[in-house]
Amino acid sequence: MATETRLLALLLVVALSAPVLYAETLEDFVTPYLYPGENFSSDAGATQISAGGSQFVLVKVKGVESFFLSRSESGGETRYAFVNDSSRINSAIREYYASANYHNATELDHLIGHISAFNASRYPAEFECKTSIGLDRPGATCGVTRCESCMNVPFCADKMAYFGSDFAASIHQFEVDTGAEQQGLKNAVAAATAMKGGAVDAAVYSSYLTGNLTAAQAGAQAVQTNHLFGCFEITGSQLAPAGLEWCAYRSSARMNSQWCRDVPANFSQLTEAMTDSNAISGRIVSNASALSRAQALYNSMNARFNFVRMSEENESFRALYSQVEGRASNASRAASIILARVSDDELSADLAALSELLLRVSQYGIDRNFSAANASAVQLFVLSEKVDAETRNLTADFGAFMGLNNDTALALFRARLYLDPQDRSLIARLNAYSEEKEEIDRVVGSGLPMSRDAVAQFSNDLRFIGQEADDVASEKLGQRTLQAGTWVAGAARRVSIFAIDLVAGALSLSGDARETYARTLPTVAIIASGAFAYFACLAVFALLKARGVIRLNRLSVVLWAIIFAFLFVLMGVAVATANSVVQQEMTRSTFDLFSSRLAAANSTAVIVASDGAPAGALPLMSSCANAVSASLSASGKTVRVYALAGGACTEPSGAAAGDACTRDVAGAPALVLGYANQTTSSFSVYYSTRGFVSGPASFHSDCLVARALAGS
């Protein structure tokens, strides 16, 4: 049996070595080995590879790596041959992808720089704390029950008799956590330095680097909660429990409860180092991955060659194998798509097993062992179902992550719409969250597969960012409810609108003129009302004086003068206060007021202001306007879309809109979409309800404003 196996293997090698053809084209060589339903011109793609001083061609068929061929030139003719050694395939693939995707020294220096910055942020306070408890000395240690390091520092030793066992336990835990932190950072720097040299297995060292950074981060976070920096988990008690008298428990007594000062560790630097490490790790082709791909290619070529032999010998088995291979290919193709975005060890292993099982079916066909081929085909279908299930689960997880990513982008956008330019602190917070979101977008947009752990971590980060963005918007809305919004401002707005609408027809005022008068009329009316009231008081006084009701002497003249002076000041204060309230209402023009007015309206207009927009952005702006229209129409509104260029208002078809444009824009809330290098927004709601939102082409492509207005 062993002799027959060796003979079969020898025949297979000979068979694969035989096709060394003086083919004119790659198509001539590959076409005989294509399966039914495959076409070289539409389904095959070739990648030229240089490795080890030789030239190779990697051929994918329908997106699946299927052939690995050697290529040479001789006498003006191109020769192709199967590479029948999986070790040689592995070596070539490894060398090619290492040169194409390998990390560089600059990236590693950048990572090491983040670690150094983190060390610099924690070192002074952490070393000061170690000094106070004796852990700064070489070889110093602190046991749980016998803390020798503290006993060697008089100031610390004097306190041990009074502080109880928790004090020594806290010092011991501090030693453990800082040791893990320091060792993890040291190992991470060593791994990155070794990778810069290029003589190590990058995949192994990259995993070692990430693992040590994770351990260092855990240690650093544990340090922050040590009782040496305050016992904050027990609050509300005036007296500490027995044995913990050294540590205060009231949340307001933080400074009095600390043995050591806070360590201001810059965790953002450590997070950046983790991000860089994950990005580097994602690009590295491990030895196991390269070997798996090499074996899969070798198996694919064997399967195709064997399929050709089987098709010639047994047409019925050819039909069976075609069905089996089609099922396995469908499962492999779907899995390969999601594995290009998210890596998963179990799914990758099942794909390799699927390839091996397909090869086994092929071998049984060659051996004409059709019963075994049928049994293996059943196993293959079962494994294909498992691969499909894993693919669906992984796709669902990634889809949920991408949905969360989109929702977070919307939350940031909505929060930014609520803010005014003077909300500097809220804008700064929102900018910080936007930068964290952009870091995640850079990893997602790199095209490299992410680990499931990275997807989970990023999902948690996105939930945090989205919640913080919602909190910013809620905080702004909370501030808004405290601002003046009294009946005086509302009445002034209604009076302004009534007065302007009354005279607009007679004077043929334009929309801009109406807006201007609406903003100035309240101030004029308030001042006029105050002056009228004051002079009315003077008139009443003069009338009473003329009728002899009021008699004046030297003292009463002085008193009446004081009264009217006080009345003048009081009237001035009242006028100024009323005008301030009205003006505040006029400037309350953020997104919440605009959206509430829009929600209350039955019709609205969406305007594409194309002035200054490049030609390539115009289709995106129009598409976004249509998306906004569809979003608003879904809530039962009548929506008209117009284009505004050079002062001319047109229908989407290009026909002049004429009076319809003026009527719809002036009589209903309107949203104007413009073009700008940076995303900006402003809103006007006092007389007319207008929203002005501008941004670059990418802004209109994402069209978050359509989702932001959904339900309005």
Side-chain angles (χ1 to χ4, degrees), residues 26-35 38-41 67 308:
L26 179 64
E27 181 177 0
D28 294 336
F29 184 90
V30 170
T31 297
Y33 299 96
L34 295 178
Y35 294 134
E38 294 178 345
N39 181 274
F40 184 87
S41 59
F67 298 92
V308 172

Side-chain angles (χ1 to χ4, degrees), residues 455-489:
V455 171
Q457 180 61 50
F458 285 157
S459 295
N460 291 334
D461 293 342
L462 289 171
R463 292 187 189 95
F464 172 78
I465 294 171
Q467 183 59 53
E468 290 299 312
D470 291 341
D471 290 345
V472 168
S474 297
E475 184 173 341
K476 176 60 180 178
L477 287 175
Q479 295 173 4
R480 180 71 67 191
T481 60
L482 299 178
Q483 296 178 357
T486 66
W487 63 271
V488 177

Side-chain angles (χ1 to χ4, degrees), residues 425-447:
S425 62
L426 294 179
I427 291 174
R429 283 172 56 190
L430 203 60
N431 288 342
Y433 302 140
S434 296
E435 289 176 2
E436 293 183 40
K437 173 68 167 55
E438 289 170 1
E439 287 291 332
I440 296 175
D441 288 340
R442 275 192 284 272
V443 175
V444 175
S446 68

Side-chain angles (χ1 to χ4, degrees), residues 515-593:
E515 186 75 28
T516 301
Y517 282 118
R519 291 180 176 275
T520 57
L521 184 59
T523 300
V524 174
I526 290 171
I527 294 174
S529 298
F532 176 78
Y534 184 75
F535 286 113
C537 291
L538 288 176
V540 171
F541 173 80
L543 179 62
L544 295 176
K545 170 66 175 63
R547 293 184 176 182
V549 177
I550 298 176
R551 298 181 183 275
L552 298 177
N553 54 39
R554 180 175 298 177
L555 178 60
S556 62
V557 168
V558 174
L559 292 176
W560 279 108
I562 293 173
I563 291 173
F564 276 105
F566 176 76
L567 182 61
F568 181 81
V569 173
L570 182 63
M571 193 65 66
V573 171
V575 168
T577 301
N579 185 61
S580 175
V581 171
V582 171
Q583 293 300 322
Q584 186 178 60
E585 173 69 11
M586 291 168 63
T587 57
R588 292 175 64 197
S589 54
T590 53
F591 178 67
D592 56 326
L593 294 172

Side-chain angles (χ1 to χ4, degrees), residues 615-676:
L618 293 179
L620 297 176
M621 295 173 68
S622 297
S623 177
C624 185
N626 292 331
V628 172
S629 175
S631 178
L632 295 175
S633 297
S635 60
K637 298 185 189 305
T638 300
V639 185
R640 297 295 300 273
V641 178
Y642 296 103
L644 187 63
C649 186
T650 60
E651 300 276 1
S653 62
D659 293 338
C661 179
T662 303
R663 182 183 63 253
D664 290 340
V665 172
L671 177 68
V672 180
L673 299 178
Y675 183 87

